[in-house]
Amino acid sequence: MKKAITFLTTVLLTTALCLSIAYANTSFSDVSSSDWFYSNVQSLVDSGAISGYEDGTFRPYNSITRAEFAKILVKAMKIQPSEGDDFADTKTSWAKSYISAAITNGIIVKSEYGDNFLPDEQISRLEIAKMIVRALHITPSSKSGPFEDLTNEYTTAAYNEYLIMGTQDNGRRYFYPNNKATRAEASAMVERAVNYKADPDGYKKAAAASQKDNYTSQSDAFILNVSNLPDEVYLNSLDEFKSYLMTAVYLKKPQITLNVSYYNDQDYGFDSIKNYISDVNFDKCYEKGYAAGCGIGLLQTGDSASIKLDFQYYDYSGYGTANIKKIVSQDELNAAIGDAVSKKQSALTLVLKNCNSYYYDFKKALQRSNTTDVLSNGYYLYYDDGQSLSLLNNSIKKVSLLYRDLDFDYKAIKTVSNYQEYYKVLSDAVAKKEYKVAVAMNNYDSGTYNLGKALLDINKSALSEKGYCARVRFKLEYATTPKTMQIYLEYKAPYKDLVFKEDEGKPILHNEQEWYEFIKNALSSNQTENQFNLTYSSDMGDALEKVWSQNADINHAYSYTTGSDGNITFTYKFPQYTLQQMRAQTDAMADQIIGQIIYQGMTETEKARAIHDYLVLNTKYDIDNYNNGTIPNEDYTAYGVLVNKTGVCQGYAAAFKLLAEKVGLHCISVSGFGNGGRHAWNMVRLDGVVGYIDATFDDPVPDQGTVRYNYFFISKAEMSKDHTWNADDFAEKYLDY
């Protein structure tokens, strides 16, 4: 896709944290009923978990010490104070029994502090997050976290459970882990923990709903109560400008000229106007079956400016807008699809706000909608995304929901929460020579629930004790929460070293990186059929999708199928002979280009700049075919960009990756959305620093023979202003795969 930069309006969500000390008082002179923390404090006071000071104050903005926090959390969690577990410096502390209880119950981990706890030191926000997660027995999360300023398994887990949300600034989320918590913050966090402990599912449902309630219309206050507007208006303030602009869109006026006295780009520029139109589209227009785009003409004279707006209106009535659902967050997307699936709806229409700067993960929403309640009804959702169209900052999506019946009796599912329980289920099945095993895995990841490792160990015992081994005939995986798998087994003596005759010579893939390399090699050599040892390999997880999206230079496949019997089949866009010729010509051209632009002694950054500049100056973006919907397959490849000198974003990303790797740079392609439309670019490590490069967005359309550097090696924060992607799927570690 192509061009145009937009910015996310700032939304502030604050975290909250936890507290205590000396004197019980339900009314404090420095706590007002209008304070955001009022109900949190009163709730904890009523429960006896917290109190104020002797002078009748609560001092909400004072910091809180480790000892104070330990006491409050232990009391709030209804844990009995105890003796015996101490640090060297807590044996005589006033809070020693609470600190000891926290140690005994795994809330405080002594190895994190060493010999001394320093109980009178101010506690940090990160320490509080850790203690809360441990107190609630929440499993730390190994997934990539939501915060820009840290990656921590405890804060990620707390975020996933709605216990902390952090602060959003310009579309990015921060936690400020080393900041010292206030008594007000501490009170709020502890009360959240208390509510979570009482009813985790109910707490999370209410928390998700409250986030939805936080969204307010951006246009209601500005739309004028009129039936028509003049063609030209003179205005004195930004609010007046917004009113006439939004009202013009609401009334479907074809054109209006707005004259402003004091022009500046921040308030009246192209990006701001797009934001204002996007707001009124989202709040008012989509539900009426239309939305507006706009052409902008600017005539500036000194401080004043005349802004001519030519509106284009797009008919969306065919999307079923009568029952439209407006979505402003991932939580709302999860809830919308989950509600539809619980009712077995076949379709729904969604409008996604700010999808040029916020990534909506439909795969995650699908998995979360396939709950145990849905499975117990004998079906699950098989998702088809249907029609989608982006306009300015928003996207409207008509979602088709397809369902399939379960292939097994739901009552036969065995639910496990760790590898030990998973191993026992499989071991018991093999001991009884069961031919089918249905297992649901909480907190699934393919590294933890390693089927191949488990069966290898089980078969060693089975062979020596019973004279047979279990072989996986095939397995069926379901995108559910928790992850569900149906494993079909057969029993026989192995051929050699526990390997069966049918599996001789098939590779055993032990982990994600081995899977990644196996699939990458298959695509690099244009292989169609690719078999592996299904019995002893780990689960593939999403390794195939990661290779598929991160390696645009070698991905010439049109589609793939993963057989339940241990086979991956790729269907390619070109005949094998044609594909071999294309690869050979592309490789030769890449070597020739490198000989022209790369010199001895260049730094990695200089090499990347030379590649970037070559692509921008020597490639024509295929705007005509893009606009007509007739993009040839070659445009998506490095061949199209390097040999034919024309292409679209995926071709630019493929060519950049190919050239970068040839000169020794660590690089992957990234796929997601740019300015709301599907897009591809690159992530690269240069001179020890990771950044992003989008040669497509730096190539002007039409070609002007110039190079821009707006998207050359910029940070994740900068790229996130108008690009969205699933950061977990494009983590830095893949630069080394």
Side-chain angles (χ1 to χ4, degrees), residues 87-136:
F87 291 91
D89 60 352
T90 62
K91 293 178 180 179
T92 58
S93 170
W94 64 269
K96 66 177 183 179
S97 61
Y98 299 103
I99 296 170
S100 177
I103 296 170
T104 300
N105 286 274
I107 297 170
I108 295 172
V109 177
K110 294 179 75 172
S111 61
E112 292 183 352
Y113 294 93
D115 294 334
N116 294 308
F117 184 57
L118 303 178
D120 298 322
E121 288 288 316
Q122 297 174 3
I123 194 167
S124 72
R125 291 161 60 84
L126 178 57
E127 289 177 279
I128 287 179
K130 287 182 176 181
M131 291 185 193
I132 290 288
V133 168
R134 290 166 178 158
L136 295 172

Tab-separated table of all heavy atoms in Angstrom, residues 87-136:
chain	number	residue	atom	x	y	z
A	87	PHE	N	14.550	-11.346	56.908
A	87	PHE	CA	15.813	-10.808	56.428
A	87	PHE	C	16.634	-10.402	57.650
A	87	PHE	O	16.095	-10.272	58.757
A	87	PHE	CB	15.576	-9.572	55.547
A	87	PHE	CG	14.918	-9.859	54.230
A	87	PHE	CD1	13.528	-9.825	54.112
A	87	PHE	CD2	15.679	-10.144	53.100
A	87	PHE	CE1	12.914	-10.067	52.896
A	87	PHE	CE2	15.071	-10.395	51.877
A	87	PHE	CZ	13.690	-10.360	51.778
A	88	ALA	N	17.901	-10.150	57.433
A	88	ALA	CA	18.759	-9.726	58.546
A	88	ALA	C	18.249	-8.451	59.189
A	88	ALA	O	18.375	-8.257	60.407
A	88	ALA	CB	20.195	-9.543	58.058
A	89	ASP	N	17.637	-7.554	58.384
A	89	ASP	CA	17.216	-6.255	58.913
A	89	ASP	C	15.721	-6.167	59.195
A	89	ASP	O	15.196	-5.078	59.429
A	89	ASP	CB	17.622	-5.130	57.960
A	89	ASP	CG	16.998	-5.260	56.579
A	89	ASP	OD1	16.364	-6.295	56.306
A	89	ASP	OD2	17.139	-4.325	55.772
A	90	THR	N	14.982	-7.309	59.165
A	90	THR	CA	13.554	-7.249	59.488
A	90	THR	C	13.208	-7.949	60.803
A	90	THR	O	12.049	-7.928	61.219
A	90	THR	CB	12.704	-7.885	58.362
A	90	THR	OG1	13.051	-9.279	58.228
A	90	THR	CG2	12.934	-7.166	57.043
A	91	LYS	N	14.181	-8.527	61.451
A	91	LYS	CA	13.909	-9.273	62.686
A	91	LYS	C	13.373	-8.377	63.794
A	91	LYS	O	12.641	-8.841	64.675
A	91	LYS	CB	15.175	-9.990	63.147
A	91	LYS	CG	15.613	-11.101	62.191
A	91	LYS	CD	16.900	-11.766	62.648
A	91	LYS	CE	17.315	-12.874	61.673
A	91	LYS	NZ	18.582	-13.524	62.071
A	92	THR	N	13.739	-7.103	63.753
A	92	THR	CA	13.265	-6.161	64.773
A	92	THR	C	12.304	-5.126	64.187
A	92	THR	O	11.945	-4.162	64.857
A	92	THR	CB	14.457	-5.440	65.427
A	92	THR	OG1	15.208	-4.761	64.403
A	92	THR	CG2	15.363	-6.429	66.135
A	93	SER	N	11.886	-5.310	62.944
A	93	SER	CA	10.980	-4.353	62.296
A	93	SER	C	9.583	-4.450	62.891
A	93	SER	O	9.120	-5.527	63.271
A	93	SER	CB	10.910	-4.638	60.795
A	93	SER	OG	9.868	-3.888	60.191
A	94	TRP	N	8.881	-3.311	62.948
A	94	TRP	CA	7.498	-3.303	63.432
A	94	TRP	C	6.596	-4.166	62.556
A	94	TRP	O	5.545	-4.632	62.999
A	94	TRP	CB	6.958	-1.866	63.475
A	94	TRP	CG	6.856	-1.211	62.109
A	94	TRP	CD1	7.798	-0.473	61.486
A	94	TRP	CD2	5.747	-1.298	61.221
A	94	TRP	NE1	7.359	-0.070	60.244
A	94	TRP	CE2	6.100	-0.552	60.054
A	94	TRP	CE3	4.492	-1.901	61.269
A	94	TRP	CZ2	5.246	-0.420	58.967
A	94	TRP	CZ3	3.636	-1.767	60.177
A	94	TRP	CH2	4.008	-1.021	59.045
A	95	ALA	N	7.013	-4.400	61.310
A	95	ALA	CA	6.179	-5.154	60.369
A	95	ALA	C	6.718	-6.561	60.133
A	95	ALA	O	6.364	-7.206	59.145
A	95	ALA	CB	6.091	-4.405	59.048
A	96	LYS	N	7.565	-7.074	61.041
A	96	LYS	CA	8.261	-8.334	60.760
A	96	LYS	C	7.307	-9.512	60.531
A	96	LYS	O	7.562	-10.385	59.702
A	96	LYS	CB	9.246	-8.662	61.875
A	96	LYS	CG	8.614	-8.977	63.225
A	96	LYS	CD	9.696	-9.366	64.241
A	96	LYS	CE	9.056	-9.748	65.596
A	96	LYS	NZ	10.103	-10.144	66.571
A	97	SER	N	6.176	-9.547	61.260
A	97	SER	CA	5.267	-10.686	61.099
A	97	SER	C	4.573	-10.654	59.735
A	97	SER	O	4.255	-11.705	59.161
A	97	SER	CB	4.222	-10.699	62.218
A	97	SER	OG	3.429	-9.527	62.188
A	98	TYR	N	4.330	-9.447	59.198
A	98	TYR	CA	3.711	-9.327	57.878
A	98	TYR	C	4.727	-9.646	56.777
A	98	TYR	O	4.396	-10.305	55.790
A	98	TYR	CB	3.148	-7.927	57.689
A	98	TYR	CG	2.070	-7.586	58.699
A	98	TYR	CD1	2.346	-6.753	59.781
A	98	TYR	CD2	0.795	-8.118	58.581
A	98	TYR	CE1	1.366	-6.453	60.717
A	98	TYR	CE2	-0.196	-7.824	59.509
A	98	TYR	CZ	0.093	-6.995	60.584
A	98	TYR	OH	-0.870	-6.701	61.502
A	99	ILE	N	5.949	-9.173	56.964
A	99	ILE	CA	7.007	-9.474	55.990
A	99	ILE	C	7.285	-10.971	55.970
A	99	ILE	O	7.430	-11.588	54.905
A	99	ILE	CB	8.281	-8.674	56.321
A	99	ILE	CG1	8.012	-7.170	56.181
A	99	ILE	CG2	9.439	-9.097	55.412
A	99	ILE	CD1	9.127	-6.292	56.712
A	100	SER	N	7.320	-11.584	57.163
A	100	SER	CA	7.545	-13.029	57.253
A	100	SER	C	6.438	-13.799	56.551
A	100	SER	O	6.700	-14.759	55.810
A	100	SER	CB	7.626	-13.450	58.726
A	100	SER	OG	7.778	-14.847	58.838
A	101	ALA	N	5.192	-13.377	56.755
A	101	ALA	CA	4.063	-14.044	56.094
A	101	ALA	C	4.155	-13.899	54.583
A	101	ALA	O	3.839	-14.834	53.834
A	101	ALA	CB	2.749	-13.470	56.608
A	102	ALA	N	4.586	-12.734	54.126
A	102	ALA	CA	4.730	-12.510	52.688
A	102	ALA	C	5.812	-13.407	52.104
A	102	ALA	O	5.678	-13.921	50.988
A	102	ALA	CB	5.043	-11.047	52.416
A	103	ILE	N	6.894	-13.612	52.848
A	103	ILE	CA	7.959	-14.515	52.389
A	103	ILE	C	7.444	-15.954	52.340
A	103	ILE	O	7.619	-16.673	51.355
A	103	ILE	CB	9.192	-14.404	53.306
A	103	ILE	CG1	9.802	-13.002	53.223
A	103	ILE	CG2	10.231	-15.453	52.920
A	103	ILE	CD1	10.876	-12.748	54.266
A	104	THR	N	6.802	-16.373	53.416
A	104	THR	CA	6.298	-17.744	53.513
A	104	THR	C	5.320	-18.069	52.387
A	104	THR	O	5.296	-19.183	51.860
A	104	THR	CB	5.609	-17.959	54.872
A	104	THR	OG1	6.555	-17.720	55.920
A	104	THR	CG2	5.059	-19.377	54.997
A	105	ASN	N	4.515	-17.079	51.991
A	105	ASN	CA	3.497	-17.284	50.955
A	105	ASN	C	3.992	-16.943	49.556
A	105	ASN	O	3.190	-16.875	48.616
A	105	ASN	CB	2.250	-16.465	51.287
A	105	ASN	CG	1.448	-17.076	52.422
A	105	ASN	OD1	0.611	-17.946	52.204
A	105	ASN	ND2	1.725	-16.635	53.641
A	106	GLY	N	5.303	-16.732	49.412
A	106	GLY	CA	5.881	-16.523	48.094
A	106	GLY	C	5.620	-15.161	47.491
A	106	GLY	O	5.873	-14.948	46.300
A	107	ILE	N	5.129	-14.206	48.282
A	107	ILE	CA	4.845	-12.864	47.769
A	107	ILE	C	6.133	-12.058	47.658
A	107	ILE	O	6.349	-11.329	46.684
A	107	ILE	CB	3.823	-12.157	48.687
A	107	ILE	CG1	2.496	-12.926	48.676
A	107	ILE	CG2	3.625	-10.711	48.253
A	107	ILE	CD1	1.502	-12.448	49.716
A	108	ILE	N	6.971	-12.167	48.655
A	108	ILE	CA	8.304	-11.569	48.629
A	108	ILE	C	9.316	-12.695	48.419
A	108	ILE	O	9.286	-13.705	49.133
A	108	ILE	CB	8.620	-10.816	49.940
A	108	ILE	CG1	7.687	-9.612	50.101
A	108	ILE	CG2	10.078	-10.370	49.977
A	108	ILE	CD1	7.807	-8.920	51.449
A	109	VAL	N	10.184	-12.542	47.442
A	109	VAL	CA	11.208	-13.547	47.141
A	109	VAL	C	12.551	-13.028	47.658
A	109	VAL	O	13.053	-11.999	47.193
A	109	VAL	CB	11.276	-13.819	45.625
A	109	VAL	CG1	12.390	-14.800	45.303
A	109	VAL	CG2	9.936	-14.359	45.119
A	110	LYS	N	13.122	-13.732	48.611
A	110	LYS	CA	14.312	-13.226	49.302
A	110	LYS	C	15.496	-13.032	48.361
A	110	LYS	O	16.289	-12.107	48.523
A	110	LYS	CB	14.689	-14.171	50.451
A	110	LYS	CG	13.652	-14.202	51.561
A	110	LYS	CD	14.025	-15.166	52.689
A	110	LYS	CE	15.122	-14.592	53.560
A	110	LYS	NZ	15.354	-15.433	54.757
A	111	SER	N	15.613	-13.885	47.352
A	111	SER	CA	16.769	-13.787	46.457
A	111	SER	C	16.783	-12.484	45.665
A	111	SER	O	17.828	-12.068	45.161
A	111	SER	CB	16.779	-14.975	45.490
A	111	SER	OG	15.608	-14.981	44.684
A	112	GLU	N	15.639	-11.814	45.550
A	112	GLU	CA	15.591	-10.548	44.815
A	112	GLU	C	16.174	-9.389	45.618
A	112	GLU	O	16.481	-8.338	45.057
A	112	GLU	CB	14.145	-10.228	44.419
A	112	GLU	CG	13.576	-11.176	43.373
A	112	GLU	CD	12.176	-10.787	42.943
A	112	GLU	OE1	11.599	-9.863	43.576
A	112	GLU	OE2	11.661	-11.391	41.989
A	113	TYR	N	16.310	-9.591	46.941
A	113	TYR	CA	16.769	-8.500	47.804
A	113	TYR	C	18.112	-8.766	48.472
A	113	TYR	O	18.755	-7.831	48.958
A	113	TYR	CB	15.719	-8.226	48.887
A	113	TYR	CG	14.419	-7.681	48.337
A	113	TYR	CD1	13.367	-8.541	48.016
A	113	TYR	CD2	14.241	-6.331	48.124
A	113	TYR	CE1	12.173	-8.055	47.501
A	113	TYR	CE2	13.057	-5.817	47.612
A	113	TYR	CZ	12.028	-6.688	47.303
A	113	TYR	OH	10.853	-6.197	46.795
A	114	GLY	N	18.533	-10.023	48.517
A	114	GLY	CA	19.772	-10.331	49.208
A	114	GLY	C	19.546	-10.477	50.702
A	114	GLY	O	18.469	-10.884	51.149
A	115	ASP	N	20.534	-10.106	51.499
A	115	ASP	CA	20.444	-10.291	52.953
A	115	ASP	C	19.485	-9.305	53.615
A	115	ASP	O	18.886	-9.605	54.643
A	115	ASP	CB	21.832	-10.155	53.592
A	115	ASP	CG	22.778	-11.277	53.168
A	115	ASP	OD1	22.276	-12.365	52.826
A	115	ASP	OD2	24.009	-11.049	53.161
A	116	ASN	N	19.356	-8.102	53.044
A	116	ASN	CA	18.572	-7.043	53.677
A	116	ASN	C	17.410	-6.605	52.795
A	116	ASN	O	17.560	-6.410	51.585
A	116	ASN	CB	19.464	-5.836	53.985
A	116	ASN	CG	20.520	-6.167	55.029
A	116	ASN	OD1	20.201	-6.672	56.101
A	116	ASN	ND2	21.777	-5.895	54.709
A	117	PHE	N	16.249	-6.443	53.403
A	117	PHE	CA	15.036	-6.028	52.706
A	117	PHE	C	14.908	-4.507	52.621
A	117	PHE	O	14.229	-3.979	51.740
A	117	PHE	CB	13.824	-6.615	53.437
A	117	PHE	CG	12.508	-6.363	52.786
A	117	PHE	CD1	12.258	-6.760	51.485
A	117	PHE	CD2	11.480	-5.739	53.491
A	117	PHE	CE1	11.020	-6.536	50.883
A	117	PHE	CE2	10.238	-5.514	52.905
A	117	PHE	CZ	10.015	-5.911	51.603
A	118	LEU	N	15.578	-3.811	53.546
A	118	LEU	CA	15.451	-2.347	53.654
A	118	LEU	C	13.974	-1.977	53.756
A	118	LEU	O	13.404	-1.299	52.885
A	118	LEU	CB	16.103	-1.646	52.455
A	118	LEU	CG	17.595	-1.967	52.210
A	118	LEU	CD1	18.099	-1.247	50.956
A	118	LEU	CD2	18.418	-1.593	53.432
A	119	PRO	N	13.318	-2.398	54.861
A	119	PRO	CA	11.856	-2.274	54.960
A	119	PRO	C	11.338	-0.840	54.953
A	119	PRO	O	10.176	-0.609	54.593
A	119	PRO	CB	11.538	-2.966	56.287
A	119	PRO	CG	12.805	-2.889	57.071
A	119	PRO	CD	13.902	-3.028	56.066
A	120	ASP	N	12.178	0.121	55.336
A	120	ASP	CA	11.716	1.511	55.398
A	120	ASP	C	12.026	2.290	54.128
A	120	ASP	O	11.768	3.500	54.061
A	120	ASP	CB	12.342	2.213	56.610
A	120	ASP	CG	11.915	1.564	57.923
A	120	ASP	OD1	10.744	1.158	58.018
A	120	ASP	OD2	12.752	1.445	58.833
A	121	GLU	N	12.560	1.589	53.097
A	121	GLU	CA	12.785	2.226	51.804
A	121	GLU	C	11.458	2.335	51.049
A	121	GLU	O	10.569	1.498	51.194
A	121	GLU	CB	13.776	1.409	50.972
A	121	GLU	CG	15.212	1.472	51.456
A	121	GLU	CD	15.851	2.820	51.172
A	121	GLU	OE1	15.686	3.352	50.059
A	121	GLU	OE2	16.512	3.347	52.089
A	122	GLN	N	11.336	3.359	50.214
A	122	GLN	CA	10.134	3.517	49.398
A	122	GLN	C	10.049	2.359	48.390
A	122	GLN	O	11.054	1.962	47.805
A	122	GLN	CB	10.165	4.846	48.659
A	122	GLN	CG	10.154	6.049	49.586
A	122	GLN	CD	10.326	7.355	48.833
A	122	GLN	OE1	10.395	7.367	47.611
A	122	GLN	NE2	10.398	8.454	49.564
A	123	ILE	N	8.850	1.853	48.191
A	123	ILE	CA	8.659	0.728	47.283
A	123	ILE	C	8.396	1.240	45.866
A	123	ILE	O	7.750	2.279	45.672
A	123	ILE	CB	7.504	-0.178	47.758
A	123	ILE	CG1	7.519	-1.519	47.013
A	123	ILE	CG2	6.149	0.511	47.623
A	123	ILE	CD1	6.613	-2.567	47.636
A	124	SER	N	8.916	0.533	44.878
A	124	SER	CA	8.742	0.940	43.481
A	124	SER	C	7.474	0.311	42.898
A	124	SER	O	6.930	-0.670	43.422
A	124	SER	CB	9.949	0.523	42.647
A	124	SER	OG	9.967	-0.886	42.458
A	125	ARG	N	7.042	0.855	41.779
A	125	ARG	CA	5.864	0.316	41.094
A	125	ARG	C	6.097	-1.112	40.601
A	125	ARG	O	5.195	-1.949	40.611
A	125	ARG	CB	5.500	1.238	39.928
A	125	ARG	CG	4.969	2.584	40.367
A	125	ARG	CD	5.058	3.638	39.263
A	125	ARG	NE	4.309	3.275	38.080
A	125	ARG	CZ	3.003	3.490	37.916
A	125	ARG	NH1	2.311	4.070	38.890
A	125	ARG	NH2	2.393	3.152	36.800
A	126	LEU	N	7.336	-1.416	40.168
A	126	LEU	CA	7.639	-2.762	39.707
A	126	LEU	C	7.565	-3.768	40.854
A	126	LEU	O	7.029	-4.872	40.692
A	126	LEU	CB	9.029	-2.809	39.072
A	126	LEU	CG	9.497	-4.186	38.576
A	126	LEU	CD1	8.514	-4.766	37.571
A	126	LEU	CD2	10.884	-4.089	37.959
A	127	GLU	N	8.085	-3.400	42.030
A	127	GLU	CA	8.013	-4.297	43.183
A	127	GLU	C	6.558	-4.610	43.526
A	127	GLU	O	6.207	-5.757	43.830
A	127	GLU	CB	8.700	-3.661	44.388
A	127	GLU	CG	10.219	-3.581	44.291
A	127	GLU	CD	10.810	-2.868	45.494
A	127	GLU	OE1	10.796	-1.616	45.511
A	127	GLU	OE2	11.272	-3.552	46.425
A	128	ILE	N	5.719	-3.582	43.489
A	128	ILE	CA	4.306	-3.783	43.817
A	128	ILE	C	3.650	-4.725	42.809
A	128	ILE	O	2.894	-5.630	43.184
A	128	ILE	CB	3.573	-2.425	43.862
A	128	ILE	CG1	3.985	-1.671	45.123
A	128	ILE	CG2	2.070	-2.610	43.810
A	128	ILE	CD1	3.345	-0.313	45.267
A	129	ALA	N	3.932	-4.523	41.532
A	129	ALA	CA	3.347	-5.396	40.507
A	129	ALA	C	3.732	-6.853	40.751
A	129	ALA	O	2.897	-7.764	40.646
A	129	ALA	CB	3.796	-4.938	39.125
A	130	LYS	N	5.004	-7.085	41.081
A	130	LYS	CA	5.455	-8.457	41.350
A	130	LYS	C	4.712	-9.060	42.542
A	130	LYS	O	4.255	-10.208	42.502
A	130	LYS	CB	6.962	-8.470	41.617
A	130	LYS	CG	7.827	-8.247	40.393
A	130	LYS	CD	9.303	-8.343	40.774
A	130	LYS	CE	10.212	-8.231	39.559
A	130	LYS	NZ	11.641	-8.353	39.942
A	131	MET	N	4.599	-8.295	43.622
A	131	MET	CA	3.954	-8.827	44.823
A	131	MET	C	2.482	-9.123	44.585
A	131	MET	O	1.951	-10.126	45.073
A	131	MET	CB	4.133	-7.839	45.983
A	131	MET	CG	5.564	-7.715	46.478
A	131	MET	SD	5.656	-6.648	47.943
A	131	MET	CE	7.440	-6.378	48.048
A	132	ILE	N	1.809	-8.252	43.835
A	132	ILE	CA	0.390	-8.466	43.546
A	132	ILE	C	0.189	-9.748	42.738
A	132	ILE	O	-0.687	-10.572	43.036
A	132	ILE	CB	-0.181	-7.262	42.774
A	132	ILE	CG1	-0.272	-6.025	43.681
A	132	ILE	CG2	-1.524	-7.595	42.155
A	132	ILE	CD1	-1.359	-6.102	44.709
A	133	VAL	N	0.991	-9.939	41.710
A	133	VAL	CA	0.869	-11.138	40.860
A	133	VAL	C	1.111	-12.400	41.677
A	133	VAL	O	0.387	-13.393	41.555
A	133	VAL	CB	1.851	-11.043	39.668
A	133	VAL	CG1	1.956	-12.377	38.936
A	133	VAL	CG2	1.403	-9.950	38.701
A	134	ARG	N	2.129	-12.363	42.534
A	134	ARG	CA	2.424	-13.545	43.358
A	134	ARG	C	1.333	-13.798	44.385
A	134	ARG	O	0.968	-14.954	44.649
A	134	ARG	CB	3.776	-13.360	44.046
A	134	ARG	CG	4.958	-13.424	43.086
A	134	ARG	CD	6.215	-12.915	43.747
A	134	ARG	NE	7.375	-13.010	42.865
A	134	ARG	CZ	8.476	-12.284	43.004
A	134	ARG	NH1	8.572	-11.397	43.992
A	134	ARG	NH2	9.479	-12.423	42.173
A	135	ALA	N	0.806	-12.736	44.971
A	135	ALA	CA	-0.247	-12.900	45.975
A	135	ALA	C	-1.491	-13.534	45.383
A	135	ALA	O	-2.208	-14.275	46.060
A	135	ALA	CB	-0.584	-11.545	46.593
A	136	LEU	N	-1.762	-13.254	44.109
A	136	LEU	CA	-2.947	-13.779	43.440
A	136	LEU	C	-2.678	-15.093	42.710
A	136	LEU	O	-3.561	-15.623	42.034
A	136	LEU	CB	-3.485	-12.742	42.456
A	136	LEU	CG	-4.007	-11.444	43.092
A	136	LEU	CD1	-4.322	-10.413	42.031
A	136	LEU	CD2	-5.233	-11.726	43.949
